[in-house]
mmCIF file of all heavy atoms in Angstrom:
data_model
loop_
_atom_site.group_PDB
_atom_site.id
_atom_site.type_symbol
_atom_site.label_atom_id
_atom_site.label_comp_id
_atom_site.label_asym_id
_atom_site.label_seq_id
_atom_site.Cartn_x
_atom_site.Cartn_y
_atom_site.Cartn_z
ATOM 1 N N GLY V 40 -93.623 -36.120 143.990
ATOM 2 C CA GLY V 40 -92.862 -37.352 143.831
ATOM 3 C C GLY V 40 -91.850 -37.326 142.706
ATOM 4 O O GLY V 40 -91.364 -38.366 142.272
ATOM 5 N N PHE V 41 -91.519 -36.127 142.237
ATOM 6 C CA PHE V 41 -90.494 -36.012 141.196
ATOM 7 C C PHE V 41 -89.160 -35.670 141.838
ATOM 8 O O PHE V 41 -89.113 -34.952 142.834
ATOM 9 C CB PHE V 41 -90.876 -34.944 140.166
ATOM 10 C CG PHE V 41 -92.103 -35.291 139.386
ATOM 11 C CD1 PHE V 41 -93.272 -34.557 139.543
ATOM 12 C CD2 PHE V 41 -92.109 -36.366 138.515
ATOM 13 C CE1 PHE V 41 -94.418 -34.885 138.837
ATOM 14 C CE2 PHE V 41 -93.261 -36.700 137.798
ATOM 15 C CZ PHE V 41 -94.412 -35.962 137.970
ATOM 16 N N PRO V 42 -88.063 -36.168 141.281
ATOM 17 C CA PRO V 42 -86.740 -35.858 141.853
ATOM 18 C C PRO V 42 -86.456 -34.355 141.823
ATOM 19 O O PRO V 42 -86.869 -33.660 140.887
ATOM 20 C CB PRO V 42 -85.765 -36.616 140.961
ATOM 21 C CG PRO V 42 -86.530 -37.040 139.761
ATOM 22 C CD PRO V 42 -87.983 -36.998 140.089
ATOM 23 N N VAL V 43 -85.767 -33.885 142.848
ATOM 24 C CA VAL V 43 -85.385 -32.478 142.934
ATOM 25 C C VAL V 43 -83.891 -32.361 142.635
ATOM 26 O O VAL V 43 -83.063 -32.979 143.300
ATOM 27 C CB VAL V 43 -85.705 -31.895 144.326
ATOM 28 C CG1 VAL V 43 -85.128 -30.501 144.473
ATOM 29 C CG2 VAL V 43 -87.211 -31.874 144.560
ATOM 30 N N ILE V 44 -83.565 -31.596 141.613
ATOM 31 C CA ILE V 44 -82.185 -31.341 141.217
ATOM 32 C C ILE V 44 -82.015 -29.824 141.189
ATOM 33 O O ILE V 44 -82.790 -29.130 140.536
ATOM 34 C CB ILE V 44 -81.877 -31.922 139.810
ATOM 35 C CG1 ILE V 44 -82.198 -33.416 139.733
ATOM 36 C CG2 ILE V 44 -80.433 -31.635 139.413
ATOM 37 C CD1 ILE V 44 -81.264 -34.331 140.468
ATOM 38 N N GLY V 45 -81.031 -29.324 141.895
ATOM 39 C CA GLY V 45 -80.794 -27.886 141.916
ATOM 40 C C GLY V 45 -81.981 -27.100 142.432
ATOM 41 O O GLY V 45 -82.246 -25.998 141.971
ATOM 42 N N GLY V 46 -82.717 -27.677 143.367
ATOM 43 C CA GLY V 46 -83.841 -26.989 143.973
ATOM 44 C C GLY V 46 -85.136 -27.016 143.175
ATOM 45 O O GLY V 46 -86.118 -26.408 143.576
ATOM 46 N N GLU V 47 -85.147 -27.705 142.042
ATOM 47 C CA GLU V 47 -86.346 -27.762 141.205
ATOM 48 C C GLU V 47 -86.764 -29.194 140.937
ATOM 49 O O GLU V 47 -85.926 -30.064 140.720
ATOM 50 C CB GLU V 47 -86.110 -27.076 139.858
ATOM 51 C CG GLU V 47 -85.854 -25.583 139.955
ATOM 52 C CD GLU V 47 -85.889 -24.922 138.598
ATOM 53 O OE1 GLU V 47 -84.870 -24.988 137.898
ATOM 54 O OE2 GLU V 47 -86.931 -24.351 138.252
ATOM 55 N N GLY V 48 -88.083 -29.416 140.967
ATOM 56 C CA GLY V 48 -88.606 -30.725 140.604
ATOM 57 C C GLY V 48 -88.370 -30.985 139.126
ATOM 58 O O GLY V 48 -88.619 -30.117 138.295
ATOM 59 N N VAL V 49 -87.865 -32.155 138.820
ATOM 60 C CA VAL V 49 -87.536 -32.509 137.433
ATOM 61 C C VAL V 49 -88.411 -33.679 136.991
ATOM 62 O O VAL V 49 -88.467 -34.705 137.663
ATOM 63 C CB VAL V 49 -86.049 -32.900 137.296
ATOM 64 C CG1 VAL V 49 -85.723 -33.322 135.862
ATOM 65 C CG2 VAL V 49 -85.142 -31.758 137.729
ATOM 66 N N ILE V 50 -89.093 -33.496 135.867
ATOM 67 C CA ILE V 50 -89.850 -34.587 135.270
ATOM 68 C C ILE V 50 -88.946 -35.193 134.196
ATOM 69 O O ILE V 50 -88.585 -34.521 133.229
ATOM 70 C CB ILE V 50 -91.180 -34.094 134.681
ATOM 71 C CG1 ILE V 50 -92.043 -33.493 135.804
ATOM 72 C CG2 ILE V 50 -91.908 -35.237 133.979
ATOM 73 C CD1 ILE V 50 -93.366 -32.929 135.343
ATOM 74 N N TYR V 51 -88.574 -36.467 134.423
ATOM 75 C CA TYR V 51 -87.639 -37.140 133.517
ATOM 76 C C TYR V 51 -88.346 -38.273 132.788
ATOM 77 O O TYR V 51 -88.883 -39.181 133.412
ATOM 78 C CB TYR V 51 -86.440 -37.667 134.296
ATOM 79 C CG TYR V 51 -85.464 -38.445 133.436
ATOM 80 C CD1 TYR V 51 -84.927 -37.882 132.283
ATOM 81 C CD2 TYR V 51 -85.088 -39.737 133.756
ATOM 82 C CE1 TYR V 51 -84.041 -38.587 131.478
ATOM 83 C CE2 TYR V 51 -84.191 -40.451 132.967
ATOM 84 C CZ TYR V 51 -83.678 -39.866 131.829
ATOM 85 O OH TYR V 51 -82.808 -40.564 131.028
ATOM 86 N N TYR V 52 -88.345 -38.181 131.458
ATOM 87 C CA TYR V 52 -88.916 -39.214 130.594
ATOM 88 C C TYR V 52 -87.777 -40.153 130.190
ATOM 89 O O TYR V 52 -86.974 -39.818 129.325
ATOM 90 C CB TYR V 52 -89.540 -38.585 129.350
ATOM 91 C CG TYR V 52 -90.746 -37.716 129.652
ATOM 92 C CD1 TYR V 52 -90.596 -36.406 130.099
ATOM 93 C CD2 TYR V 52 -92.039 -38.208 129.483
ATOM 94 C CE1 TYR V 52 -91.704 -35.609 130.375
ATOM 95 C CE2 TYR V 52 -93.152 -37.418 129.750
ATOM 96 C CZ TYR V 52 -92.973 -36.124 130.205
ATOM 97 O OH TYR V 52 -94.063 -35.339 130.472
ATOM 98 N N ALA V 53 -87.727 -41.312 130.842
ATOM 99 C CA ALA V 53 -86.590 -42.214 130.646
ATOM 100 C C ALA V 53 -86.505 -42.748 129.217
ATOM 101 O O ALA V 53 -85.412 -42.851 128.659
ATOM 102 C CB ALA V 53 -86.676 -43.376 131.634
ATOM 103 N N ASP V 54 -87.638 -43.083 128.605
ATOM 104 C CA ASP V 54 -87.580 -43.665 127.260
ATOM 105 C C ASP V 54 -87.204 -42.641 126.202
ATOM 106 O O ASP V 54 -86.674 -42.985 125.157
ATOM 107 C CB ASP V 54 -88.897 -44.372 126.906
ATOM 108 C CG ASP V 54 -90.104 -43.456 126.930
ATOM 109 O OD1 ASP V 54 -90.027 -42.367 127.544
ATOM 110 O OD2 ASP V 54 -91.130 -43.834 126.342
ATOM 111 N N LYS V 55 -87.446 -41.354 126.483
ATOM 112 C CA LYS V 55 -87.090 -40.291 125.538
ATOM 113 C C LYS V 55 -85.800 -39.591 125.937
ATOM 114 O O LYS V 55 -85.297 -38.748 125.195
ATOM 115 C CB LYS V 55 -88.216 -39.254 125.466
ATOM 116 C CG LYS V 55 -89.538 -39.825 125.001
ATOM 117 C CD LYS V 55 -90.624 -38.773 125.081
ATOM 118 C CE LYS V 55 -91.970 -39.382 124.722
ATOM 119 N NZ LYS V 55 -93.068 -38.456 124.974
ATOM 120 N N ASP V 56 -85.287 -39.907 127.128
ATOM 121 C CA ASP V 56 -84.084 -39.277 127.678
ATOM 122 C C ASP V 56 -84.194 -37.753 127.623
ATOM 123 O O ASP V 56 -83.289 -37.064 127.161
ATOM 124 C CB ASP V 56 -82.819 -39.776 126.973
ATOM 125 C CG ASP V 56 -81.564 -39.404 127.757
ATOM 126 O OD1 ASP V 56 -81.631 -39.334 129.000
ATOM 127 O OD2 ASP V 56 -80.520 -39.167 127.119
ATOM 128 N N THR V 57 -85.339 -37.239 128.095
ATOM 129 C CA THR V 57 -85.547 -35.792 128.173
ATOM 130 C C THR V 57 -86.022 -35.431 129.569
ATOM 131 O O THR V 57 -86.686 -36.229 130.233
ATOM 132 C CB THR V 57 -86.579 -35.303 127.136
ATOM 133 O OG1 THR V 57 -87.809 -36.008 127.315
ATOM 134 C CG2 THR V 57 -86.078 -35.476 125.718
ATOM 135 N N ALA V 58 -85.667 -34.237 130.008
ATOM 136 C CA ALA V 58 -86.038 -33.764 131.347
ATOM 137 C C ALA V 58 -86.600 -32.349 131.252
ATOM 138 O O ALA V 58 -86.171 -31.559 130.409
ATOM 139 C CB ALA V 58 -84.819 -33.784 132.261
ATOM 140 N N TYR V 59 -87.547 -32.051 132.138
ATOM 141 C CA TYR V 59 -88.220 -30.757 132.149
ATOM 142 C C TYR V 59 -88.368 -30.245 133.578
ATOM 143 O O TYR V 59 -88.535 -31.031 134.507
ATOM 144 C CB TYR V 59 -89.629 -30.873 131.533
ATOM 145 C CG TYR V 59 -89.605 -31.346 130.110
ATOM 146 C CD1 TYR V 59 -89.560 -32.703 129.811
ATOM 147 C CD2 TYR V 59 -89.599 -30.447 129.050
ATOM 148 C CE1 TYR V 59 -89.510 -33.149 128.499
ATOM 149 C CE2 TYR V 59 -89.558 -30.880 127.740
ATOM 150 C CZ TYR V 59 -89.510 -32.229 127.472
ATOM 151 O OH TYR V 59 -89.453 -32.666 126.175
ATOM 152 N N VAL V 60 -88.333 -28.928 133.742
ATOM 153 C CA VAL V 60 -88.644 -28.285 135.012
ATOM 154 C C VAL V 60 -89.836 -27.353 134.784
ATOM 155 O O VAL V 60 -90.131 -26.990 133.645
ATOM 156 C CB VAL V 60 -87.447 -27.488 135.596
ATOM 157 C CG1 VAL V 60 -86.315 -28.429 135.991
ATOM 158 C CG2 VAL V 60 -86.958 -26.420 134.639
ATOM 159 N N ASN V 61 -90.493 -26.985 135.867
ATOM 160 C CA ASN V 61 -91.656 -26.093 135.812
ATOM 161 C C ASN V 61 -92.756 -26.627 134.910
ATOM 162 O O ASN V 61 -93.431 -25.872 134.223
ATOM 163 C CB ASN V 61 -91.253 -24.678 135.368
ATOM 164 C CG ASN V 61 -90.207 -24.083 136.274
ATOM 165 O OD1 ASN V 61 -90.255 -24.254 137.490
ATOM 166 N ND2 ASN V 61 -89.238 -23.403 135.705
ATOM 167 N N GLY V 62 -92.914 -27.935 134.864
ATOM 168 C CA GLY V 62 -93.960 -28.540 134.050
ATOM 169 C C GLY V 62 -93.461 -29.801 133.374
ATOM 170 O O GLY V 62 -92.348 -30.250 133.616
ATOM 171 N N ASN V 63 -94.302 -30.333 132.492
ATOM 172 C CA ASN V 63 -93.931 -31.565 131.796
ATOM 173 C C ASN V 63 -93.554 -31.265 130.349
ATOM 174 O O ASN V 63 -93.319 -30.117 129.992
ATOM 175 C CB ASN V 63 -95.068 -32.580 131.890
ATOM 176 C CG ASN V 63 -96.356 -32.068 131.276
ATOM 177 O OD1 ASN V 63 -96.354 -31.192 130.416
ATOM 178 N ND2 ASN V 63 -97.476 -32.611 131.717
ATOM 179 N N GLU V 64 -93.519 -32.297 129.514
ATOM 180 C CA GLU V 64 -93.075 -32.090 128.130
ATOM 181 C C GLU V 64 -94.015 -31.179 127.352
ATOM 182 O O GLU V 64 -93.633 -30.624 126.336
ATOM 183 C CB GLU V 64 -92.893 -33.427 127.409
ATOM 184 C CG GLU V 64 -94.167 -34.205 127.188
ATOM 185 C CD GLU V 64 -93.923 -35.537 126.504
ATOM 186 O OE1 GLU V 64 -92.853 -35.728 125.902
ATOM 187 O OE2 GLU V 64 -94.813 -36.399 126.568
ATOM 188 N N ASP V 65 -95.237 -30.999 127.829
ATOM 189 C CA ASP V 65 -96.190 -30.130 127.133
ATOM 190 C C ASP V 65 -96.014 -28.660 127.503
ATOM 191 O O ASP V 65 -96.204 -27.784 126.671
ATOM 192 C CB ASP V 65 -97.632 -30.547 127.458
ATOM 193 C CG ASP V 65 -97.951 -31.943 126.948
ATOM 194 O OD1 ASP V 65 -97.441 -32.310 125.867
ATOM 195 O OD2 ASP V 65 -98.699 -32.659 127.633
ATOM 196 N N ASN V 66 -95.673 -28.384 128.775
ATOM 197 C CA ASN V 66 -95.637 -26.978 129.193
ATOM 198 C C ASN V 66 -94.413 -26.599 130.013
ATOM 199 O O ASN V 66 -94.316 -25.483 130.484
ATOM 200 C CB ASN V 66 -96.904 -26.640 129.993
ATOM 201 C CG ASN V 66 -97.056 -27.511 131.233
ATOM 202 O OD1 ASN V 66 -96.150 -28.218 131.625
ATOM 203 N ND2 ASN V 66 -98.223 -27.465 131.844
ATOM 204 N N GLY V 67 -93.482 -27.522 130.191
ATOM 205 C CA GLY V 67 -92.301 -27.227 130.987
ATOM 206 C C GLY V 67 -91.131 -26.745 130.155
ATOM 207 O O GLY V 67 -91.199 -26.685 128.927
ATOM 208 N N LYS V 68 -90.049 -26.413 130.865
ATOM 209 C CA LYS V 68 -88.824 -25.973 130.207
ATOM 210 C C LYS V 68 -87.869 -27.163 130.131
ATOM 211 O O LYS V 68 -87.510 -27.741 131.156
ATOM 212 C CB LYS V 68 -88.207 -24.844 131.034
ATOM 213 C CG LYS V 68 -86.870 -24.374 130.520
ATOM 214 C CD LYS V 68 -86.288 -23.326 131.475
ATOM 215 C CE LYS V 68 -84.810 -23.170 131.199
ATOM 216 N NZ LYS V 68 -84.078 -22.678 132.345
ATOM 217 N N GLN V 69 -87.465 -27.529 128.924
ATOM 218 C CA GLN V 69 -86.552 -28.655 128.775
ATOM 219 C C GLN V 69 -85.170 -28.259 129.263
ATOM 220 O O GLN V 69 -84.699 -27.151 129.023
ATOM 221 C CB GLN V 69 -86.478 -29.119 127.319
ATOM 222 C CG GLN V 69 -85.665 -30.396 127.169
ATOM 223 C CD GLN V 69 -85.787 -31.030 125.784
ATOM 224 O OE1 GLN V 69 -86.557 -30.573 124.956
ATOM 225 N NE2 GLN V 69 -85.030 -32.071 125.561
ATOM 226 N N ILE V 70 -84.539 -29.189 129.988
ATOM 227 C CA ILE V 70 -83.185 -28.965 130.504
ATOM 228 C C ILE V 70 -82.304 -30.135 130.094
ATOM 229 O O ILE V 70 -82.790 -31.170 129.658
ATOM 230 C CB ILE V 70 -83.179 -28.831 132.048
ATOM 231 C CG1 ILE V 70 -83.693 -30.121 132.703
ATOM 232 C CG2 ILE V 70 -83.994 -27.618 132.489
ATOM 233 C CD1 ILE V 70 -83.442 -30.213 134.202
ATOM 234 N N ALA V 71 -81.001 -29.940 130.248
ATOM 235 C CA ALA V 71 -80.077 -31.059 130.042
ATOM 236 C C ALA V 71 -80.371 -32.107 131.112
ATOM 237 O O ALA V 71 -80.617 -31.770 132.271
ATOM 238 C CB ALA V 71 -78.638 -30.579 130.162
ATOM 239 N N VAL V 72 -80.366 -33.363 130.726
ATOM 240 C CA VAL V 72 -80.701 -34.426 131.671
ATOM 241 C C VAL V 72 -79.596 -34.549 132.723
ATOM 242 O O VAL V 72 -78.431 -34.762 132.377
ATOM 243 C CB VAL V 72 -80.878 -35.769 130.940
ATOM 244 C CG1 VAL V 72 -81.112 -36.897 131.933
ATOM 245 C CG2 VAL V 72 -82.025 -35.683 129.945
ATOM 246 N N PRO V 73 -79.955 -34.398 134.002
ATOM 247 C CA PRO V 73 -78.955 -34.584 135.057
ATOM 248 C C PRO V 73 -78.416 -36.014 135.031
ATOM 249 O O PRO V 73 -79.196 -36.962 134.926
ATOM 250 C CB PRO V 73 -79.741 -34.306 136.346
ATOM 251 C CG PRO V 73 -80.895 -33.450 135.906
ATOM 252 C CD PRO V 73 -81.242 -33.955 134.540
ATOM 253 N N SER V 74 -77.104 -36.179 135.105
ATOM 254 C CA SER V 74 -76.502 -37.506 134.977
ATOM 255 C C SER V 74 -77.013 -38.469 136.044
ATOM 256 O O SER V 74 -77.143 -39.664 135.797
ATOM 257 C CB SER V 74 -74.984 -37.412 135.022
ATOM 258 O OG SER V 74 -74.569 -36.847 136.250
ATOM 259 N N GLY V 75 -77.310 -37.957 137.240
ATOM 260 C CA GLY V 75 -77.824 -38.828 138.290
ATOM 261 C C GLY V 75 -79.153 -39.463 137.927
ATOM 262 O O GLY V 75 -79.396 -40.622 138.260
ATOM 263 N N LEU V 76 -79.993 -38.712 137.236
ATOM 264 C CA LEU V 76 -81.289 -39.261 136.821
ATOM 265 C C LEU V 76 -81.118 -40.298 135.726
ATOM 266 O O LEU V 76 -81.780 -41.329 135.715
ATOM 267 C CB LEU V 76 -82.228 -38.151 136.344
ATOM 268 C CG LEU V 76 -82.633 -37.109 137.379
ATOM 269 C CD1 LEU V 76 -83.690 -36.178 136.797
ATOM 270 C CD2 LEU V 76 -83.114 -37.743 138.661
ATOM 271 N N LYS V 77 -80.208 -40.011 134.811
ATOM 272 C CA LYS V 77 -79.961 -40.950 133.709
ATOM 273 C C LYS V 77 -79.452 -42.282 134.247
ATOM 274 O O LYS V 77 -79.929 -43.343 133.850
ATOM 275 C CB LYS V 77 -78.963 -40.344 132.724
ATOM 276 C CG LYS V 77 -78.817 -41.135 131.434
ATOM 277 C CD LYS V 77 -77.839 -40.491 130.486
ATOM 278 C CE LYS V 77 -78.386 -39.211 129.914
ATOM 279 N NZ LYS V 77 -77.865 -38.904 128.578
ATOM 280 N N SER V 78 -78.513 -42.240 135.188
ATOM 281 C CA SER V 78 -77.963 -43.492 135.721
ATOM 282 C C SER V 78 -78.995 -44.217 136.574
ATOM 283 O O SER V 78 -79.069 -45.440 136.540
ATOM 284 C CB SER V 78 -76.672 -43.239 136.503
ATOM 285 O OG SER V 78 -76.920 -42.463 137.644
ATOM 286 N N LEU V 79 -79.823 -43.471 137.289
ATOM 287 C CA LEU V 79 -80.873 -44.098 138.089
ATOM 288 C C LEU V 79 -81.879 -44.806 137.191
ATOM 289 O O LEU V 79 -82.220 -45.974 137.406
ATOM 290 C CB LEU V 79 -81.571 -43.022 138.921
ATOM 291 C CG LEU V 79 -82.506 -43.467 140.025
ATOM 292 C CD1 LEU V 79 -81.794 -44.359 141.029
ATOM 293 C CD2 LEU V 79 -83.098 -42.266 140.720
ATOM 294 N N ALA V 80 -82.328 -44.115 136.164
ATOM 295 C CA ALA V 80 -83.303 -44.706 135.243
ATOM 296 C C ALA V 80 -82.729 -45.900 134.490
ATOM 297 O O ALA V 80 -83.456 -46.856 134.204
ATOM 298 C CB ALA V 80 -83.802 -43.648 134.267
ATOM 299 N N SER V 81 -81.428 -45.880 134.206
ATOM 300 C CA SER V 81 -80.829 -47.000 133.477
ATOM 301 C C SER V 81 -80.912 -48.294 134.290
ATOM 302 O O SER V 81 -80.954 -49.376 133.716
ATOM 303 C CB SER V 81 -79.378 -46.695 133.119
ATOM 304 O OG SER V 81 -78.554 -46.727 134.267
#
Side-chain angles (χ1 to χ4, degrees):
F41 295 112
V43 172
I44 305 288
E47 295 191 279
V49 178
I50 299 178
Y51 177 54
Y52 294 81
D54 60 341
K55 300 175 185 172
D56 194 31
T57 56
Y59 300 85
V60 293
N61 303 320
N63 60 24
E64 66 182 342
D65 296 325
N66 59 11
K68 175 184 163 205
Q69 187 169 355
I70 61 167
V72 175
S74 60
L76 297 187
K77 190 179 290 209
S78 65
L79 192 58
S81 72

